[in-house]
Amino acid sequence: MQGGDKRGGGYQRRDDNRGGRPQNRDDRPRRDEGRDPDQRPIRRDHAPVRDVKSENQLSKAARERLNALRADYNPRDEDRHAGDPRDTYTDVPNGIRLQKALAAAGVASRRASEEMIAAGRVSVDGQIVRRFGARVDPEASEIRVDDMRVVTAPDKLYFALNKPRGVVSTMWDPEGRPTLADYAGQTAERIFHVGRLDTETEGLILLTNDGDLANRLTHPRYKVIKTYVAKVDGPVPHRVVRQIEKGVELDDGPVKVDSFRVVDNDSDQAMVEIRLHEGRKHIVRRLMEAVGHPVADLARTQVGPIDLNNLRLGTMRALSSREVGELYKAAGL
């Protein structure tokens, strides 16, 4: 018979196709035959393939976030931003990204730091920087946020200590008396005290290893104000207040306070607040002695913008990044 040989009650398919259509589904050519298997479209549940939005179709917020992520994770940021007209700052070779330096200094999260950079609130070495990928040296670059200095050097330490009475304002005493070191504990870097408080005066004393800042905080030229609260013989008449405000002559020269006020004025004992920027030895005690109201108890409550707040007597805390920036501003740095 034509068309095939009849064997075993059926027909045998011819091996040659003779130009006709394939007789078996497996013999049909596949649409993706010859295509790279990694480039074949993936379809699930026969759902139609949808076009992905281009970047221009994304919302403004999504585009900003995408650009922020690219700036943060692209290791070639410094090349990608070469010639960028947004600023003229020259990157520090082998430096770290500006937003990373700000985050490490405790200014804000990296994302919040990026927003400050984009808003033009951050400067490096006197130049406004608007690039997320700008490279800085955390140990040498002068970084400011809203014109306030940010200390990014990882080895710089800043502490506030509420010194108790009877403690000597040194880190070591040959007579074996209690010293600041007994309360400061161990630190990776050697720290030293900023100025002194006499042994019988308690209150705020700063400790740091930042020599430039320490010198400015203690030198009268930079007029960093220290605030004291004293218990004195009372009452304190108004004429004494006027006398102190006018200036009092001591044996080593006149003393002029920045401000003076009576906080409490009982008949037997009064409490006064004295603010002044010089630090001659026993200056507050000698001042009050000179006007006839000797000091019974004395405490320093504030140095520049830093105050005791709720710091307990005999304890120490690290200053925040903002507090350090405020100290730099007060010292003219």
Side-chain angles (χ1 to χ4, degrees):
M1 295 180 63
Q2 294 181 351
D5 296 333
K6 186 176 180 181
R7 296 179 182 176
Y11 292 93
Q12 182 179 8
R13 180 178 62 83
R14 295 183 183 272
D15 291 336
D16 58 326
N17 196 3
R18 299 183 185 274
R21 297 179 63 184
Q23 301 299 314
N24 192 314
R25 291 175 60 91
D26 294 338
D27 294 335
R28 296 175 185 175
R30 297 183 179 180
R31 295 177 62 185
D32 57 0
E33 188 172 6
R35 184 185 301 173
D36 186 344
D38 292 337
Q39 297 181 355
R40 296 173 186 172
I42 298 175
R43 302 182 63 179
R44 295 180 176 88
D45 301 329
H46 304 286
V49 178
R50 297 180 179 179
D51 293 334
V52 179
K53 287 184 177 181
S54 68
E55 282 190 35
N56 292 334
Q57 293 175 298
L58 297 175
S59 67
K60 181 180 178 181
R63 290 198 305 272
E64 290 176 349
R65 180 59 180 161
L66 180 60
N67 290 334
L69 290 173
R70 284 173 173 167
D72 196 17
Y73 294 107
N74 188 346
R76 297 182 60 81
D77 272 320
E78 62 272 25
D79 296 333
R80 183 162 61 88
H81 290 296
D84 195 320
R86 286 181 293 176
D87 61 66
T88 59
Y89 171 73
T90 302
D91 291 348
V92 175
N94 301 318
I96 67 172
R97 290 187 181 90
L98 177 56
Q99 66 268 35
K100 182 177 180 181
L102 291 172
V107 174
S109 67
R110 190 175 298 190
R111 176 58 178 160
S113 297
E114 290 172 350
E115 293 174 353
M116 290 190 291
I117 294 170
R121 297 171 57 191
V122 182
S123 69
V124 182
D125 296 333
Q127 299 185 58
I128 297 295
V129 177
R130 298 177 183 273
R131 289 174 291 129
F132 299 157
R135 301 280 178 164
V136 300
D137 180 353
E139 296 187 6
S141 299
E142 182 180 297
I143 302 173
R144 293 178 180 270
V145 176
D146 297 334
D147 202 33
M148 184 176 292
R149 178 80 174 267
V150 176
V151 179
T152 55
D155 61 337
K156 289 292 188 289
L157 303 174
Y158 306 86
F159 299 100
L161 169 67
N162 191 349
K163 184 188 90 67
R165 185 185 303 176
V167 175
V168 183
S169 291
T170 61
M171 302 305 286
W172 178 80
D173 182 62
E175 300 178 21
R177 292 173 295 179
T179 67
L180 300 176
D182 296 324
Y183 295 88
Q186 298 294 324
T187 58
E189 300 287 335
R190 179 178 176 271
I191 58 175
F192 47 88
H193 49 91
V194 180
R196 294 174 180 267
L197 290 175
D198 66 66
T199 305
E200 294 306 309
T201 299
E202 64 183 41
L204 179 63
I205 191 164
L206 303 178
L207 300 104
T208 184
N209 59 353
D210 189 333
D212 291 339
L213 178 61
N215 291 334
R216 293 230 179 182
L217 292 176
T218 54
H219 200 292
R221 172 185 175 185
Y222 299 102
K223 298 183 178 181
V224 178
I225 296 175
K226 289 85 174 175
T227 304
Y228 298 84
V229 173
K231 289 181 180 179
V232 301
D233 290 345
V236 178
H238 191 64
R239 62 174 176 79
V240 171
V241 176
R242 291 196 305 268
Q243 181 184 1
I244 292 174
E245 291 175 341
K246 184 178 179 180
V248 177
E249 187 71 31
L250 301 180
D251 55 3
D252 58 350
V255 57
K256 184 73 167 61
V257 301
D258 291 272
S259 71
F260 179 88
R261 70 186 181 99
V262 179
V263 179
D264 195 0
N265 208 11
D266 291 339
S267 58
D268 295 331
Q269 194 173 65
M271 182 176 291
V272 298
E273 180 190 80
I274 307 103
R275 303 177 75 239
L276 70 171
H277 59 268
E278 64 171 295
R280 281 181 280 170
K281 188 175 182 179
H282 304 310
I283 187 67
V284 174
R285 294 181 184 275
R286 291 192 292 137
L287 168 64
M288 297 309 299
E289 181 78 29
V291 296
H293 294 269
V295 171
D297 290 316
L298 181 63
R300 183 162 67 189
T301 60
Q302 192 165 344
V303 175
I306 310 302
D307 56 33
L308 282 174
N309 286 331
N310 298 320
L311 186 62
R312 292 182 299 169
L313 195 65
T315 61
M316 185 177 77
R317 69 174 179 85
L319 299 185
S320 68
S321 174
R322 173 169 289 278
E323 288 176 317
V324 175
E326 289 173 346
L327 274 177
Y328 266 82
K329 185 176 181 178
L333 288 170

